[in-house]
Amino acid sequence: MSTKINIAIDGYSSCGKGTLAKALAHHFNYLFVDSGAMYRAVTWAIQKEKIELTKIDKVSDLLSRINIRFVYSEQDKFYQTYINDQNLEKEIRSMEVSRYVSEVSAIKEVRDFLVNQQQQIGLHKGVVMDGRDIGTVVFPDAELKIFMTARPEVRAQRRHHEIVSRGDTHTSYNDVLSNLTERDSMDSSRSISPLKPASDALVLDNSEMTREQQLTIAIDWVNDIIKNLS
Ligand code: DC
């Protein structure tokens, strides 16, 4: 059996991290973990219980009651996000959650709780995880760290297209663009684990690249690393 590595993919909102991460996981038969979905799931739960973000005791109590899981859907051929027994895959992608998630993900207690779960998942290697702090905090020893970026207009176009194709015709391109630039700025400037490339990350700007081109580059990176390890 070939050596398995952990792959950390970080970068700005909507620059295709998930798409590349899923394709890499599929290619190498690795586990794909969308860490943003975990922050979104906590945000959804906080909103549902109408917890004020300044009430840290209430946030901690909520965290002690929720179990975030990824369950494979044969029908959709990908992992869906659950809290306890409730499938929240659709709810966590709403604009309501998107508007609030950066604030929730700046809370230390939330980050400690989720980083711990993410690190447990990575113990056995063979994981592709995408997020904002995977190469810097969650897996600082990941054998491959990719930092993805693309021009904001390109990212907003892609995310808007995705939202419309899910049947939401109320969200405009401008709403999406302003939400993602605002999130970029909050994610990069927060005091705990701000979004930034790890010093040893390989940068991938995919503004002008097809999905296939990105995947080919990343597969070559992985194969080079595995060759050097074995
Ligand atoms: O990847 P995404 O857009 O679904 O992530 C949603 C939010 O979660 C993002 O605005 C920042 C936060 N996040 C984070 O702080 N750390 C991570 N590892 C992943 C996401």
Side-chain angles (χ1 to χ4, degrees), residues 42-103:
V42 170
T43 304
W44 177 87
I46 286 178
Q47 284 179 321
K48 179 158 177 281
E49 297 202 6
K50 299 192 171 51
I51 295 174
E52 282 177 41
L53 299 187
T54 48
K55 304 256 161 65
I56 297 300
D57 286 359
K58 297 228 160 100
V59 172
S60 296
D61 172 65
L62 172 79
L63 294 172
S64 72
R65 287 184 281 114
I66 58 176
N67 175 21
I68 300 172
R69 300 181 296 138
F70 294 105
V71 178
Y72 190 73
S73 156
E74 268 305 331
Q75 194 185 344
D76 297 323
K77 301 270 175 269
F78 72 90
Y79 285 89
Q80 302 195 326
T81 314
Y82 281 65
I83 282 192
N84 303 332
D85 288 326
Q86 191 173 0
N87 182 341
L88 294 171
E89 192 53 41
K90 191 153 175 266
E91 289 76 357
I92 62 168
R93 312 285 165 195
S94 69
M95 275 304 274
E96 216 183 325
V97 168
S98 297
R99 280 198 196 96
Y100 215 45
V101 63
S102 283
E103 268 180 82

Side-chain angles (χ1 to χ4, degrees), residues 61-197:
D61 172 65
L62 172 79
L63 294 172
S64 72
R65 287 184 281 114
I66 58 176
N67 175 21
I68 300 172
R69 300 181 296 138
F70 294 105
V71 178
Y72 190 73
S73 156
E74 268 305 331
Q75 194 185 344
D76 297 323
K77 301 270 175 269
F78 72 90
Y79 285 89
Q80 302 195 326
T81 314
Y82 281 65
I83 282 192
N84 303 332
D85 288 326
Q86 191 173 0
N87 182 341
L88 294 171
E89 192 53 41
K90 191 153 175 266
E91 289 76 357
I92 62 168
R93 312 285 165 195
S94 69
M95 275 304 274
E96 216 183 325
V97 168
S98 297
R99 280 198 196 96
Y100 215 45
V101 63
S102 283
E103 268 180 82
V104 171
S105 54
I107 301 173
K108 181 177 184 302
E109 286 72 9
V110 171
R111 299 207 75 81
D112 289 348
F113 174 79
L114 293 180
V115 167
N116 182 274
Q117 292 197 357
Q118 292 153 4
Q119 289 176 332
Q120 300 295 323
I121 299 172
L123 285 178
H124 302 293
K125 301 275 179 187
V127 174
V128 188
M129 192 176 293
D130 78 307
R132 304 293 189 290
D133 61 343
I134 311 305
T136 49
V137 176
V138 180
F139 299 151
D141 297 329
E143 290 81 357
L144 174 61
K145 299 173 187 175
I146 301 176
F147 190 86
M148 287 179 72
T149 179
R151 286 196 309 277
E153 298 73 22
V154 174
R155 294 189 276 131
Q157 238 157 32
R158 290 176 185 158
R159 179 54 72 99
H160 185 242
H161 183 259
E162 196 183 294
I163 290 172
V164 170
S165 62
R166 279 204 314 262
D168 174 353
T169 49
H170 301 292
T171 309
S172 72
Y173 165 81
N174 284 333
D175 286 344
V176 176
L177 180 63
S178 62
N179 172 260
L180 75 85
T181 45
E182 201 178 311
R183 277 199 293 144
D184 286 351
S185 125
M186 285 175 76
D187 295 344
S188 316
S189 62
R190 69 176 171 228
S191 56
I192 321 167
S193 312
L195 168 66
K196 61 168 192 231

